[in-house]
PDB file of all heavy atoms in Angstrom:
ATOM      1  N   ALA A   1       0.825  -1.196   0.000  1.00 97.00           N
ATOM      2  CA  ALA A   1       0.000   0.000   0.000  1.00 97.00           C
ATOM      3  C   ALA A   1       0.862   1.249   0.000  1.00 97.00           C
ATOM      4  O   ALA A   1       2.052   1.215   0.337  1.00 97.00           O
ATOM      5  CB  ALA A   1      -0.935   0.016   1.209  1.00 97.00           C
ATOM      6  N   TRP A   2       0.230   2.346  -0.382  1.00 98.00           N
ATOM      7  CA  TRP A   2       0.815   3.676  -0.273  1.00 98.00           C
ATOM      8  C   TRP A   2      -0.038   4.526   0.651  1.00 98.00           C
ATOM      9  O   TRP A   2      -1.273   4.530   0.552  1.00 98.00           O
ATOM     10  CB  TRP A   2       0.921   4.365  -1.634  1.00 98.00           C
ATOM     11  CG  TRP A   2       1.943   3.755  -2.548  1.00 98.00           C
ATOM     12  CD1 TRP A   2       1.742   2.798  -3.481  1.00 98.00           C
ATOM     13  CD2 TRP A   2       3.331   4.091  -2.602  1.00 98.00           C
ATOM     14  NE1 TRP A   2       2.921   2.507  -4.124  1.00 98.00           N
ATOM     15  CE2 TRP A   2       3.914   3.278  -3.608  1.00 98.00           C
ATOM     16  CE3 TRP A   2       4.138   4.994  -1.909  1.00 98.00           C
ATOM     17  CZ2 TRP A   2       5.269   3.348  -3.929  1.00 98.00           C
ATOM     18  CZ3 TRP A   2       5.489   5.056  -2.226  1.00 98.00           C
ATOM     19  CH2 TRP A   2       6.033   4.242  -3.223  1.00 98.00           C
ATOM     20  N   PHE A   3       0.621   5.234   1.540  1.00 98.00           N
ATOM     21  CA  PHE A   3       0.008   6.230   2.404  1.00 98.00           C
ATOM     22  C   PHE A   3       0.744   7.547   2.194  1.00 98.00           C
ATOM     23  O   PHE A   3       1.845   7.574   1.646  1.00 98.00           O
ATOM     24  CB  PHE A   3       0.095   5.818   3.876  1.00 98.00           C
ATOM     25  CG  PHE A   3      -0.694   4.587   4.220  1.00 98.00           C
ATOM     26  CD1 PHE A   3      -0.215   3.322   3.921  1.00 98.00           C
ATOM     27  CD2 PHE A   3      -1.924   4.692   4.855  1.00 98.00           C
ATOM     28  CE1 PHE A   3      -0.937   2.189   4.246  1.00 98.00           C
ATOM     29  CE2 PHE A   3      -2.660   3.570   5.190  1.00 98.00           C
ATOM     30  CZ  PHE A   3      -2.168   2.319   4.881  1.00 98.00           C
ATOM     31  N   ARG A   4       0.146   8.628   2.642  1.00 98.00           N
ATOM     32  CA  ARG A   4       0.816   9.919   2.563  1.00 98.00           C
ATOM     33  C   ARG A   4       0.493  10.754   3.791  1.00 98.00           C
ATOM     34  O   ARG A   4      -0.542  10.590   4.422  1.00 98.00           O
ATOM     35  CB  ARG A   4       0.434  10.679   1.286  1.00 98.00           C
ATOM     36  CG  ARG A   4      -1.030  11.079   1.204  1.00 98.00           C
ATOM     37  CD  ARG A   4      -1.341  11.632  -0.179  1.00 98.00           C
ATOM     38  NE  ARG A   4      -2.758  11.961  -0.324  1.00 98.00           N
ATOM     39  CZ  ARG A   4      -3.345  12.250  -1.466  1.00 98.00           C
ATOM     40  NH1 ARG A   4      -2.630  12.265  -2.598  1.00 98.00           N
ATOM     41  NH2 ARG A   4      -4.640  12.539  -1.510  1.00 98.00           N
ATOM     42  N   GLN A   5       1.403  11.648   4.103  1.00 98.00           N
ATOM     43  CA  GLN A   5       1.223  12.525   5.253  1.00 98.00           C
ATOM     44  C   GLN A   5       1.676  13.933   4.882  1.00 98.00           C
ATOM     45  O   GLN A   5       2.854  14.165   4.607  1.00 98.00           O
ATOM     46  CB  GLN A   5       2.006  12.022   6.462  1.00 98.00           C
ATOM     47  CG  GLN A   5       1.731  12.810   7.721  1.00 98.00           C
ATOM     48  CD  GLN A   5       2.296  12.143   8.958  1.00 98.00           C
ATOM     49  OE1 GLN A   5       3.268  11.395   8.877  1.00 98.00           O
ATOM     50  NE2 GLN A   5       1.688  12.403  10.095  1.00 98.00           N
ATOM     51  N   ALA A   6       0.733  14.844   4.880  1.00 97.00           N
ATOM     52  CA  ALA A   6       1.024  16.242   4.629  1.00 97.00           C
ATOM     53  C   ALA A   6       1.452  16.911   5.926  1.00 97.00           C
ATOM     54  O   ALA A   6       1.108  16.445   7.019  1.00 97.00           O
ATOM     55  CB  ALA A   6      -0.203  16.943   4.052  1.00 97.00           C
ATOM     56  N   PRO A   7       2.194  18.011   5.838  1.00 93.00           N
ATOM     57  CA  PRO A   7       2.633  18.699   7.056  1.00 93.00           C
ATOM     58  C   PRO A   7       1.468  19.078   7.959  1.00 93.00           C
ATOM     59  O   PRO A   7       0.483  19.660   7.501  1.00 93.00           O
ATOM     60  CB  PRO A   7       3.345  19.942   6.522  1.00 93.00           C
ATOM     61  CG  PRO A   7       3.809  19.551   5.156  1.00 93.00           C
ATOM     62  CD  PRO A   7       2.729  18.653   4.625  1.00 93.00           C
ATOM     63  N   GLY A   8       1.568  18.723   9.223  1.00 95.00           N
ATOM     64  CA  GLY A   8       0.552  19.061  10.193  1.00 95.00           C
ATOM     65  C   GLY A   8      -0.716  18.231  10.128  1.00 95.00           C
ATOM     66  O   GLY A   8      -1.671  18.522  10.852  1.00 95.00           O
ATOM     67  N   LYS A   9      -0.738  17.204   9.286  1.00 97.00           N
ATOM     68  CA  LYS A   9      -1.927  16.383   9.127  1.00 97.00           C
ATOM     69  C   LYS A   9      -1.629  14.927   9.449  1.00 97.00           C
ATOM     70  O   LYS A   9      -0.475  14.506   9.503  1.00 97.00           O
ATOM     71  CB  LYS A   9      -2.479  16.505   7.706  1.00 97.00           C
ATOM     72  CG  LYS A   9      -2.956  17.898   7.349  1.00 97.00           C
ATOM     73  CD  LYS A   9      -3.592  17.926   5.975  1.00 97.00           C
ATOM     74  CE  LYS A   9      -4.116  19.303   5.643  1.00 97.00           C
ATOM     75  NZ  LYS A   9      -4.757  19.339   4.297  1.00 97.00           N
ATOM     76  N   GLU A  10      -2.695  14.172   9.667  1.00 97.00           N
ATOM     77  CA  GLU A  10      -2.556  12.746   9.918  1.00 97.00           C
ATOM     78  C   GLU A  10      -2.196  12.010   8.633  1.00 97.00           C
ATOM     79  O   GLU A  10      -2.533  12.443   7.533  1.00 97.00           O
ATOM     80  CB  GLU A  10      -3.857  12.181  10.487  1.00 97.00           C
ATOM     81  CG  GLU A  10      -4.284  12.774  11.818  1.00 97.00           C
ATOM     82  CD  GLU A  10      -3.350  12.397  12.935  1.00 97.00           C
ATOM     83  OE1 GLU A  10      -2.823  11.264  12.933  1.00 97.00           O
ATOM     84  OE2 GLU A  10      -3.137  13.229  13.830  1.00 97.00           O
ATOM     85  N   ARG A  11      -1.530  10.889   8.787  1.00 97.00           N
ATOM     86  CA  ARG A  11      -1.226  10.052   7.640  1.00 97.00           C
ATOM     87  C   ARG A  11      -2.521   9.450   7.100  1.00 97.00           C
ATOM     88  O   ARG A  11      -3.387   9.010   7.858  1.00 97.00           O
ATOM     89  CB  ARG A  11      -0.246   8.956   8.043  1.00 97.00           C
ATOM     90  CG  ARG A  11       0.253   8.119   6.879  1.00 97.00           C
ATOM     91  CD  ARG A  11       1.585   7.477   7.192  1.00 97.00           C
ATOM     92  NE  ARG A  11       1.551   6.705   8.417  1.00 97.00           N
ATOM     93  CZ  ARG A  11       2.631   6.280   9.058  1.00 97.00           C
ATOM     94  NH1 ARG A  11       3.835   6.571   8.588  1.00 97.00           N
ATOM     95  NH2 ARG A  11       2.504   5.582  10.167  1.00 97.00           N
ATOM     96  N   GLU A  12      -2.665   9.446   5.791  1.00 98.00           N
ATOM     97  CA  GLU A  12      -3.875   8.937   5.170  1.00 98.00           C
ATOM     98  C   GLU A  12      -3.555   7.883   4.122  1.00 98.00           C
ATOM     99  O   GLU A  12      -2.501   7.901   3.485  1.00 98.00           O
ATOM    100  CB  GLU A  12      -4.683  10.077   4.524  1.00 98.00           C
ATOM    101  CG  GLU A  12      -4.013  10.719   3.333  1.00 98.00           C
ATOM    102  CD  GLU A  12      -4.929  11.665   2.571  1.00 98.00           C
ATOM    103  OE1 GLU A  12      -6.160  11.559   2.698  1.00 98.00           O
ATOM    104  OE2 GLU A  12      -4.399  12.518   1.828  1.00 98.00           O
ATOM    105  N   PHE A  13      -4.502   6.996   3.936  1.00 98.00           N
ATOM    106  CA  PHE A  13      -4.392   5.943   2.947  1.00 98.00           C
ATOM    107  C   PHE A  13      -4.530   6.521   1.549  1.00 98.00           C
ATOM    108  O   PHE A  13      -5.337   7.414   1.308  1.00 98.00           O
ATOM    109  CB  PHE A  13      -5.479   4.899   3.191  1.00 98.00           C
ATOM    110  CG  PHE A  13      -5.628   3.909   2.083  1.00 98.00           C
ATOM    111  CD1 PHE A  13      -4.680   2.922   1.884  1.00 98.00           C
ATOM    112  CD2 PHE A  13      -6.715   3.960   1.240  1.00 98.00           C
ATOM    113  CE1 PHE A  13      -4.812   2.004   0.859  1.00 98.00           C
ATOM    114  CE2 PHE A  13      -6.866   3.049   0.213  1.00 98.00           C
ATOM    115  CZ  PHE A  13      -5.905   2.070   0.032  1.00 98.00           C
ATOM    116  N   VAL A  14      -3.757   5.977   0.602  1.00 98.00           N
ATOM    117  CA  VAL A  14      -3.830   6.388  -0.791  1.00 98.00           C
ATOM    118  C   VAL A  14      -4.288   5.237  -1.683  1.00 98.00           C
ATOM    119  O   VAL A  14      -5.286   5.350  -2.398  1.00 98.00           O
ATOM    120  CB  VAL A  14      -2.481   6.936  -1.290  1.00 98.00           C
ATOM    121  CG1 VAL A  14      -2.572   7.314  -2.765  1.00 98.00           C
ATOM    122  CG2 VAL A  14      -2.047   8.133  -0.447  1.00 98.00           C
ATOM    123  N   ALA A  15      -3.562   4.122  -1.662  1.00 98.00           N
ATOM    124  CA  ALA A  15      -3.865   3.008  -2.553  1.00 98.00           C
ATOM    125  C   ALA A  15      -3.253   1.733  -2.007  1.00 98.00           C
ATOM    126  O   ALA A  15      -2.259   1.771  -1.281  1.00 98.00           O
ATOM    127  CB  ALA A  15      -3.335   3.278  -3.966  1.00 98.00           C
ATOM    128  N   ALA A  16      -3.841   0.595  -2.377  1.00 97.00           N
ATOM    129  CA  ALA A  16      -3.313  -0.699  -1.964  1.00 97.00           C
ATOM    130  C   ALA A  16      -3.474  -1.700  -3.095  1.00 97.00           C
ATOM    131  O   ALA A  16      -4.338  -1.552  -3.962  1.00 97.00           O
ATOM    132  CB  ALA A  16      -4.020  -1.210  -0.710  1.00 97.00           C
ATOM    133  N   ILE A  17      -2.652  -2.750  -3.061  1.00 95.00           N
ATOM    134  CA  ILE A  17      -2.673  -3.780  -4.086  1.00 95.00           C
ATOM    135  C   ILE A  17      -2.366  -5.122  -3.442  1.00 95.00           C
ATOM    136  O   ILE A  17      -1.534  -5.217  -2.538  1.00 95.00           O
ATOM    137  CB  ILE A  17      -1.671  -3.444  -5.219  1.00 95.00           C
ATOM    138  CG1 ILE A  17      -1.810  -4.405  -6.396  1.00 95.00           C
ATOM    139  CG2 ILE A  17      -0.238  -3.422  -4.688  1.00 95.00           C
ATOM    140  CD1 ILE A  17      -1.054  -3.922  -7.640  1.00 95.00           C
ATOM    141  N   SER A  18      -3.058  -6.169  -3.895  1.00 93.00           N
ATOM    142  CA  SER A  18      -2.841  -7.490  -3.341  1.00 93.00           C
ATOM    143  C   SER A  18      -1.530  -8.085  -3.838  1.00 93.00           C
ATOM    144  O   SER A  18      -0.909  -7.589  -4.778  1.00 93.00           O
ATOM    145  CB  SER A  18      -4.005  -8.417  -3.690  1.00 93.00           C
ATOM    146  OG  SER A  18      -4.106  -8.602  -5.093  1.00 93.00           O
ATOM    147  N   TRP A  19      -1.140  -9.182  -3.215  1.00 89.00           N
ATOM    148  CA  TRP A  19       0.152  -9.802  -3.517  1.00 89.00           C
ATOM    149  C   TRP A  19       0.285 -10.199  -4.982  1.00 89.00           C
ATOM    150  O   TRP A  19       1.381 -10.143  -5.546  1.00 89.00           O
ATOM    151  CB  TRP A  19       0.363 -11.024  -2.623  1.00 89.00           C
ATOM    152  CG  TRP A  19      -0.514 -12.183  -2.995  1.00 89.00           C
ATOM    153  CD1 TRP A  19      -1.810 -12.393  -2.629  1.00 89.00           C
ATOM    154  CD2 TRP A  19      -0.144 -13.291  -3.822  1.00 89.00           C
ATOM    155  NE1 TRP A  19      -2.276 -13.562  -3.178  1.00 89.00           N
ATOM    156  CE2 TRP A  19      -1.275 -14.132  -3.906  1.00 89.00           C
ATOM    157  CE3 TRP A  19       1.024 -13.648  -4.487  1.00 89.00           C
ATOM    158  CZ2 TRP A  19      -1.256 -15.311  -4.641  1.00 89.00           C
ATOM    159  CZ3 TRP A  19       1.035 -14.824  -5.220  1.00 89.00           C
ATOM    160  CH2 TRP A  19      -0.095 -15.640  -5.292  1.00 89.00           C
ATOM    161  N   ASN A  20      -0.834 -10.599  -5.602  1.00 88.00           N
ATOM    162  CA  ASN A  20      -0.807 -11.035  -6.992  1.00 88.00           C
ATOM    163  C   ASN A  20      -1.364  -9.983  -7.943  1.00 88.00           C
ATOM    164  O   ASN A  20      -1.595 -10.276  -9.118  1.00 88.00           O
ATOM    165  CB  ASN A  20      -1.573 -12.343  -7.145  1.00 88.00           C
ATOM    166  CG  ASN A  20      -3.046 -12.210  -6.807  1.00 88.00           C
ATOM    167  OD1 ASN A  20      -3.500 -11.158  -6.367  1.00 88.00           O
ATOM    168  ND2 ASN A  20      -3.791 -13.283  -7.002  1.00 88.00           N
ATOM    169  N   ALA A  21      -1.588  -8.777  -7.442  1.00 90.00           N
ATOM    170  CA  ALA A  21      -2.118  -7.647  -8.204  1.00 90.00           C
ATOM    171  C   ALA A  21      -3.555  -7.860  -8.658  1.00 90.00           C
ATOM    172  O   ALA A  21      -4.048  -7.116  -9.500  1.00 90.00           O
ATOM    173  CB  ALA A  21      -1.230  -7.321  -9.403  1.00 90.00           C
ATOM    174  N   GLY A  22      -4.235  -8.847  -8.100  1.00 91.00           N
ATOM    175  CA  GLY A  22      -5.596  -9.125  -8.495  1.00 91.00           C
ATOM    176  C   GLY A  22      -6.636  -8.186  -7.907  1.00 91.00           C
ATOM    177  O   GLY A  22      -7.749  -8.090  -8.428  1.00 91.00           O
ATOM    178  N   ARG A  23      -6.294  -7.519  -6.842  1.00 95.00           N
ATOM    179  CA  ARG A  23      -7.205  -6.583  -6.192  1.00 95.00           C
ATOM    180  C   ARG A  23      -6.483  -5.275  -5.928  1.00 95.00           C
ATOM    181  O   ARG A  23      -5.309  -5.271  -5.551  1.00 95.00           O
ATOM    182  CB  ARG A  23      -7.740  -7.161  -4.883  1.00 95.00           C
ATOM    183  CG  ARG A  23      -8.616  -8.383  -5.056  1.00 95.00           C
ATOM    184  CD  ARG A  23      -9.104  -8.891  -3.721  1.00 95.00           C
ATOM    185  NE  ARG A  23      -9.919 -10.091  -3.876  1.00 95.00           N
ATOM    186  CZ  ARG A  23     -11.226 -10.081  -4.066  1.00 95.00           C
ATOM    187  NH1 ARG A  23     -11.892  -8.926  -4.132  1.00 95.00           N
ATOM    188  NH2 ARG A  23     -11.881 -11.227  -4.195  1.00 95.00           N
ATOM    189  N   LYS A  24      -7.207  -4.185  -6.116  1.00 96.00           N
ATOM    190  CA  LYS A  24      -6.692  -2.849  -5.857  1.00 96.00           C
ATOM    191  C   LYS A  24      -7.728  -2.039  -5.115  1.00 96.00           C
ATOM    192  O   LYS A  24      -8.927  -2.256  -5.247  1.00 96.00           O
ATOM    193  CB  LYS A  24      -6.323  -2.135  -7.160  1.00 96.00           C
ATOM    194  CG  LYS A  24      -5.222  -2.814  -7.963  1.00 96.00           C
ATOM    195  CD  LYS A  24      -4.955  -2.066  -9.255  1.00 96.00           C
ATOM    196  CE  LYS A  24      -3.877  -2.744 -10.075  1.00 96.00           C
ATOM    197  NZ  LYS A  24      -3.624  -2.016 -11.354  1.00 96.00           N
ATOM    198  N   LEU A  25      -7.253  -1.086  -4.341  1.00 97.00           N
ATOM    199  CA  LEU A  25      -8.123  -0.208  -3.580  1.00 97.00           C
ATOM    200  C   LEU A  25      -7.532   1.193  -3.602  1.00 97.00           C
ATOM    201  O   LEU A  25      -6.321   1.357  -3.412  1.00 97.00           O
ATOM    202  CB  LEU A  25      -8.259  -0.696  -2.137  1.00 97.00           C
ATOM    203  CG  LEU A  25      -9.145   0.122  -1.200  1.00 97.00           C
ATOM    204  CD1 LEU A  25     -10.608   0.001  -1.616  1.00 97.00           C
ATOM    205  CD2 LEU A  25      -8.964  -0.341   0.241  1.00 97.00           C
ATOM    206  N   TYR A  26      -8.385   2.194  -3.829  1.00 98.00           N
ATOM    207  CA  TYR A  26      -7.958   3.579  -3.857  1.00 98.00           C
ATOM    208  C   TYR A  26      -8.833   4.415  -2.947  1.00 98.00           C
ATOM    209  O   TYR A  26     -10.041   4.171  -2.838  1.00 98.00           O
ATOM    210  CB  TYR A  26      -8.062   4.168  -5.261  1.00 98.00           C
ATOM    211  CG  TYR A  26      -7.199   3.500  -6.298  1.00 98.00           C
ATOM    212  CD1 TYR A  26      -7.698   2.479  -7.091  1.00 98.00           C
ATOM    213  CD2 TYR A  26      -5.887   3.916  -6.497  1.00 98.00           C
ATOM    214  CE1 TYR A  26      -6.908   1.877  -8.055  1.00 98.00           C
ATOM    215  CE2 TYR A  26      -5.092   3.320  -7.461  1.00 98.00           C
ATOM    216  CZ  TYR A  26      -5.610   2.300  -8.242  1.00 98.00           C
ATOM    217  OH  TYR A  26      -4.825   1.710  -9.207  1.00 98.00           O
ATOM    218  N   THR A  27      -8.235   5.408  -2.322  1.00 98.00           N
ATOM    219  CA  THR A  27      -9.046   6.389  -1.637  1.00 98.00           C
ATOM    220  C   THR A  27      -9.783   7.223  -2.685  1.00 98.00           C
ATOM    221  O   THR A  27      -9.316   7.394  -3.814  1.00 98.00           O
ATOM    222  CB  THR A  27      -8.181   7.271  -0.720  1.00 98.00           C
ATOM    223  OG1 THR A  27      -9.019   8.029   0.157  1.00 98.00           O
ATOM    224  CG2 THR A  27      -7.316   8.221  -1.515  1.00 98.00           C
ATOM    225  N   ASP A  28     -10.957   7.718  -2.326  1.00 98.00           N
ATOM    226  CA  ASP A  28     -11.826   8.368  -3.306  1.00 98.00           C
ATOM    227  C   ASP A  28     -11.151   9.532  -4.020  1.00 98.00           C
ATOM    228  O   ASP A  28     -11.368   9.745  -5.217  1.00 98.00           O
ATOM    229  CB  ASP A  28     -13.103   8.860  -2.631  1.00 98.00           C
ATOM    230  CG  ASP A  28     -14.061   7.741  -2.294  1.00 98.00           C
ATOM    231  OD1 ASP A  28     -13.894   6.626  -2.820  1.00 98.00           O
ATOM    232  OD2 ASP A  28     -14.990   7.988  -1.502  1.00 98.00           O
ATOM    233  N   SER A  29     -10.346  10.282  -3.324  1.00 97.00           N
ATOM    234  CA  SER A  29      -9.785  11.496  -3.895  1.00 97.00           C
ATOM    235  C   SER A  29      -8.796  11.246  -5.029  1.00 97.00           C
ATOM    236  O   SER A  29      -8.510  12.160  -5.807  1.00 97.00           O
ATOM    237  CB  SER A  29      -9.113  12.335  -2.808  1.00 97.00           C
ATOM    238  OG  SER A  29      -7.989  11.676  -2.267  1.00 97.00           O
ATOM    239  N   VAL A  30      -8.268  10.028  -5.146  1.00 98.00           N
ATOM    240  CA  VAL A  30      -7.279   9.743  -6.184  1.00 98.00           C
ATOM    241  C   VAL A  30      -7.807   8.831  -7.277  1.00 98.00           C
ATOM    242  O   VAL A  30      -7.093   8.570  -8.257  1.00 98.00           O
ATOM    243  CB  VAL A  30      -5.983   9.147  -5.603  1.00 98.00           C
ATOM    244  CG1 VAL A  30      -5.461  10.010  -4.461  1.00 98.00           C
ATOM    245  CG2 VAL A  30      -6.183   7.709  -5.142  1.00 98.00           C
ATOM    246  N   LYS A  31      -9.028   8.355  -7.153  1.00 98.00           N
ATOM    247  CA  LYS A  31      -9.592   7.462  -8.163  1.00 98.00           C
ATOM    248  C   LYS A  31      -9.629   8.148  -9.519  1.00 98.00           C
ATOM    249  O   LYS A  31     -10.046   9.294  -9.645  1.00 98.00           O
ATOM    250  CB  LYS A  31     -10.996   7.017  -7.760  1.00 98.00           C
ATOM    251  CG  LYS A  31     -11.023   6.044  -6.606  1.00 98.00           C
ATOM    252  CD  LYS A  31     -12.445   5.658  -6.248  1.00 98.00           C
ATOM    253  CE  LYS A  31     -12.467   4.667  -5.101  1.00 98.00           C
ATOM    254  NZ  LYS A  31     -13.850   4.332  -4.695  1.00 98.00           N
ATOM    255  N   GLY A  32      -9.176   7.429 -10.527  1.00 97.00           N
ATOM    256  CA  GLY A  32      -9.134   7.976 -11.870  1.00 97.00           C
ATOM    257  C   GLY A  32      -7.875   8.741 -12.192  1.00 97.00           C
ATOM    258  O   GLY A  32      -7.633   9.067 -13.360  1.00 97.00           O
ATOM    259  N   ARG A  33      -7.068   9.050 -11.183  1.00 98.00           N
ATOM    260  CA  ARG A  33      -5.834   9.798 -11.401  1.00 98.00           C
ATOM    261  C   ARG A  33      -4.585   9.009 -11.032  1.00 98.00           C
ATOM    262  O   ARG A  33      -3.546   9.166 -11.665  1.00 98.00           O
ATOM    263  CB  ARG A  33      -5.841  11.099 -10.604  1.00 98.00           C
ATOM    264  CG  ARG A  33      -6.924  12.074 -11.025  1.00 98.00           C
ATOM    265  CD  ARG A  33      -6.765  13.415 -10.319  1.00 98.00           C
ATOM    266  NE  ARG A  33      -6.886  13.267  -8.869  1.00 98.00           N
ATOM    267  CZ  ARG A  33      -5.896  13.487  -8.002  1.00 98.00           C
ATOM    268  NH1 ARG A  33      -4.700  13.869  -8.436  1.00 98.00           N
ATOM    269  NH2 ARG A  33      -6.106  13.335  -6.706  1.00 98.00           N
ATOM    270  N   PHE A  34      -4.674   8.190  -9.994  1.00 98.00           N
ATOM    271  CA  PHE A  34      -3.535   7.408  -9.536  1.00 98.00           C
ATOM    272  C   PHE A  34      -3.721   5.951  -9.929  1.00 98.00           C
ATOM    273  O   PHE A  34      -4.852   5.441  -9.959  1.00 98.00           O
ATOM    274  CB  PHE A  34      -3.393   7.476  -8.015  1.00 98.00           C
ATOM    275  CG  PHE A  34      -2.923   8.793  -7.468  1.00 98.00           C
ATOM    276  CD1 PHE A  34      -2.892   9.940  -8.241  1.00 98.00           C
ATOM    277  CD2 PHE A  34      -2.514   8.871  -6.144  1.00 98.00           C
ATOM    278  CE1 PHE A  34      -2.464  11.151  -7.722  1.00 98.00           C
ATOM    279  CE2 PHE A  34      -2.085  10.071  -5.607  1.00 98.00           C
ATOM    280  CZ  PHE A  34      -2.054  11.212  -6.387  1.00 98.00           C
ATOM    281  N   ILE A  35      -2.620   5.267 -10.193  1.00 98.00           N
ATOM    282  CA  ILE A  35      -2.640   3.847 -10.516  1.00 98.00           C
ATOM    283  C   ILE A  35      -1.574   3.151  -9.689  1.00 98.00           C
ATOM    284  O   ILE A  35      -0.396   3.511  -9.756  1.00 98.00           O
ATOM    285  CB  ILE A  35      -2.386   3.593 -12.011  1.00 98.00           C
ATOM    286  CG1 ILE A  35      -3.432   4.306 -12.874  1.00 98.00           C
ATOM    287  CG2 ILE A  35      -2.398   2.088 -12.298  1.00 98.00           C
ATOM    288  CD1 ILE A  35      -3.100   4.304 -14.351  1.00 98.00           C
ATOM    289  N   ILE A  36      -1.989   2.150  -8.926  1.00 97.00           N
ATOM    290  CA  ILE A  36      -1.034   1.328  -8.196  1.00 97.00           C
ATOM    291  C   ILE A  36      -0.790   0.055  -8.996  1.00 97.00           C
ATOM    292  O   ILE A  36      -1.718  -0.526  -9.567  1.00 97.00           O
ATOM    293  CB  ILE A  36      -1.513   1.025  -6.760  1.00 97.00           C
ATOM    294  CG1 ILE A  36      -0.401   0.350  -5.954  1.00 97.00           C
ATOM    295  CG2 ILE A  36      -2.791   0.200  -6.754  1.00 97.00           C
ATOM    296  CD1 ILE A  36      -0.696   0.269  -4.464  1.00 97.00           C
TER     297      ILE A  36
END
């Protein structure tokens, strides 16, 4: 998975991928723009 933390903010989830790449998950704000 990828997480990110902006200055002064809590760390947030960005995207995740299963061991075989069969499943992916994205936070709503990056859907359509980011690819894991």
Side-chain angles (χ1 to χ4, degrees):
W2 290 93
F3 295 79
R4 65 189 177 191
Q5 186 169 26
K9 296 185 178 181
E10 298 292 325
R11 186 156 54 195
E12 67 170 340
F13 169 73
V14 178
I17 188 168
S18 63
W19 72 277
N20 63 355
R23 295 180 182 271
K24 298 178 181 179
L25 180 68
Y26 298 94
T27 193
D28 286 345
S29 66
V30 309
K31 288 179 179 177
R33 296 187 298 115
F34 289 13
I35 302 170
I36 189 169

